[in-house]
Amino acid sequence: MIRLLVVRHGETAWNRLGRYQGCIDTGLSAVGRRQARALADALADRSIEAVYASPLRRAVETARVIAAVHGSPLYTDAALREMCHGAWEGLTVTDVAGKFPRLWASWRHRPDRVRMPGGEALSDVEARVLPAIEGIVERHGRGEIVVVTHGVTARVFLVRAQGRSLRDLWAIESPPAGISEVWVNRGRYVVRRLNAVAHLPAPPGRHAAL
């Protein structure tokens, strides 16, 4: 059996501002760096064999702190990057709701039907992240592995691990530096813990959904 610890990166300044990041390469804020340290401390008693991360800086910075505590190898995989939000990237929630009202409403109520203008659909994210996770499982086979990724990407994997539809994306919280634990045995996924945040020094930002 393999135990996956699926982690969202720590907070960025854009998370705090409610600004869509997508594939824009933002780094951690001071709060995010403290959260990364808290993550590493929370996982210090685990036997982490490897850490995998999205290549975006906010994920790599978070993953590097965790890997350093364990002396674990750190690998990046582009398939773990955040959903490309296209024309929404760099805009705030208020901007998007004003400029794309119908698409914004669809994104909140039927995210599985939305393709971001100039960006991806959830099905595109699923098509890259699920094989990436399966590859990690096959590569290691057993033990504990940390996967550091992003809000939408983590949700896509977790709803599928629960056997749910992409329509249920918003039923799952994805706070910065939250930890989910998924056990994998013979291709069967069991979600044992979902976005735990008790280890954090302060509550996650109010725009944790971005």
Side-chain angles (χ1 to χ4, degrees), residues 36-37 39-41 43 48-53 59-75 146 148:
R37 181 72 247 179
L39 271 170
D41 290 345
L43 299 176
I48 305 301
E49 293 190 7
V51 180
Y52 288 80
V60 172
E61 289 176 355
T62 303
R64 189 177 291 131
V65 178
I66 297 169
V69 167
H70 294 276
S72 303
L74 169 58
Y75 307 99
V146 173
V148 182

Side-chain angles (χ1 to χ4, degrees), residues 140-163:
H140 293 274
R142 60 186 300 174
E144 295 184 312
I145 306 295
V146 173
V147 177
V148 182
T149 184
H150 303 268
V152 173
T153 307
R155 283 183 173 98
V156 167
F157 170 65
L158 291 168
V159 295
R160 285 310 201 191
Q162 291 180 322

Side-chain angles (χ1 to χ4, degrees), residues 9-49:
H9 62 79
E11 184 181 277
T12 71
W14 280 23
N15 286 139
R16 179 67 61 175
L17 294 171
R19 194 177 297 278
Y20 281 94
Q21 297 168 105
C23 290
I24 293 178
D25 200 14
T26 54
L28 296 180
S29 64
V31 170
R33 289 190 290 273
R34 289 195 295 271
Q35 290 176 337
R37 181 72 247 179
L39 271 170
D41 290 345
L43 299 176
D45 62 345
R46 308 296 289 260
S47 300
I48 305 301
E49 293 190 7

Side-chain angles (χ1 to χ4, degrees), residues 96-144:
V96 170
K99 293 181 178 181
F100 304 91
R102 294 182 64 181
L103 194 62
W104 165 249
S106 295
W107 179 236
R108 300 313 302 173
H109 298 290
R110 285 301 305 264
D112 55 316
R113 293 181 176 177
V114 172
R115 176 172 295 280
M116 296 296 180
E120 292 184 293
L122 291 179
S123 58
D124 298 322
V125 179
E126 178 184 24
R128 57 179 166 81
V129 73
L130 295 190
I133 296 292
E134 290 167 3
I136 291 169
V137 169
E138 290 174 4
R139 194 170 304 122
H140 293 274
R142 60 186 300 174
E144 295 184 312

